[in-house]
Amino acid sequence: MRPAPGPDMIDALCEAAERGVDVHLVLPSLSDFRPVLYAGRSHYDRLLAAGVKIHELRDAVLHAKTAVIDGVVSTVGSSNMDWRSLVQNSEVNAMVYGEAFGDAMTRMFRADVAASAAITLAAWRERPLADRALEGVARLFEGFW
């Protein structure tokens, strides 16, 4: 089984940031299943080191996954950014092409960023050892969720 987001997605995000693409992620600070939260956080160090900007939305559980690319291509749906979500979990996303929808999505994303806490690489590397341990254990099992 492959973990979500999966190594291909992590690689793609890191490579994009390293070549100068402005990559921002708004991720949850809460989850209805904490092991998934910790497994996701286990990837933060690599993403942050590559230049990906991570923001954790305060006081909300996120389920919808959205993306806006170049202000024109947008996706909204329930699938995680991996093939397992699409093939095995019967998740679905809508793809919308157009500047008007992309602008609306961008405004909503900016509102989410404003309601989020920015995660910096320096602060991330100072997090408690207990959190690091939970992330490591959760990452071992992330392929099973």
Side-chain angles (χ1 to χ4, degrees), residues 90-142:
S90 300
E91 306 270 1
V92 67
N93 277 35
M95 296 291 294
V96 180
Y97 299 91
E99 288 183 23
F101 191 82
D103 287 345
M105 291 286 296
T106 298
R107 284 192 303 277
M108 287 185 275
F109 182 79
R110 288 183 179 144
D112 286 344
V113 169
S116 300
I119 307 297
T120 66
L121 182 58
W124 186 249
R125 289 184 172 167
E126 295 296 321
R127 71 194 184 286
L129 182 59
D131 288 347
R132 293 170 190 251
L134 288 169
E135 292 157 14
V137 170
R139 188 170 187 169
L140 291 173
F141 295 100
E142 71 180 326

Side-chain angles (χ1 to χ4, degrees), residues 14 16 35 42 52 59 70 80 84 93 101 103 107 114 136 138 140 144:
C14 289
S42 74
V52 173
D59 304 323
D70 295 334
N80 294 311
R84 189 177 78 185
N93 277 35
F101 191 82
D103 287 345
R107 284 192 303 277
L140 291 173
F144 295 102

Side-chain angles (χ1 to χ4, degrees), residues 3-77:
D8 292 343
M9 181 57 70
I10 298 293
D11 289 346
L13 292 169
C14 289
E15 289 167 9
E18 288 166 344
R19 70 174 182 271
V21 175
D22 192 20
V23 180
H24 288 259
L25 302 176
V26 174
L27 302 170
S29 63
L30 303 171
S31 176
D32 53 1
F33 186 57
R34 292 186 64 86
V36 170
L37 182 70
Y38 285 113
R41 286 177 174 168
S42 74
H43 298 282
Y44 282 18
D45 194 88
R46 179 167 177 226
L47 291 163
L48 291 164
V52 173
K53 291 147 190 98
I54 298 176
H55 315 270
E56 282 193 349
L57 187 62
R58 295 181 289 253
D59 304 323
V61 175
L62 290 173
H63 184 68
K65 283 63 171 194
T66 65
V68 179
I69 303 158
D70 295 334
V72 178
V73 179
S74 303
T75 181
V76 179

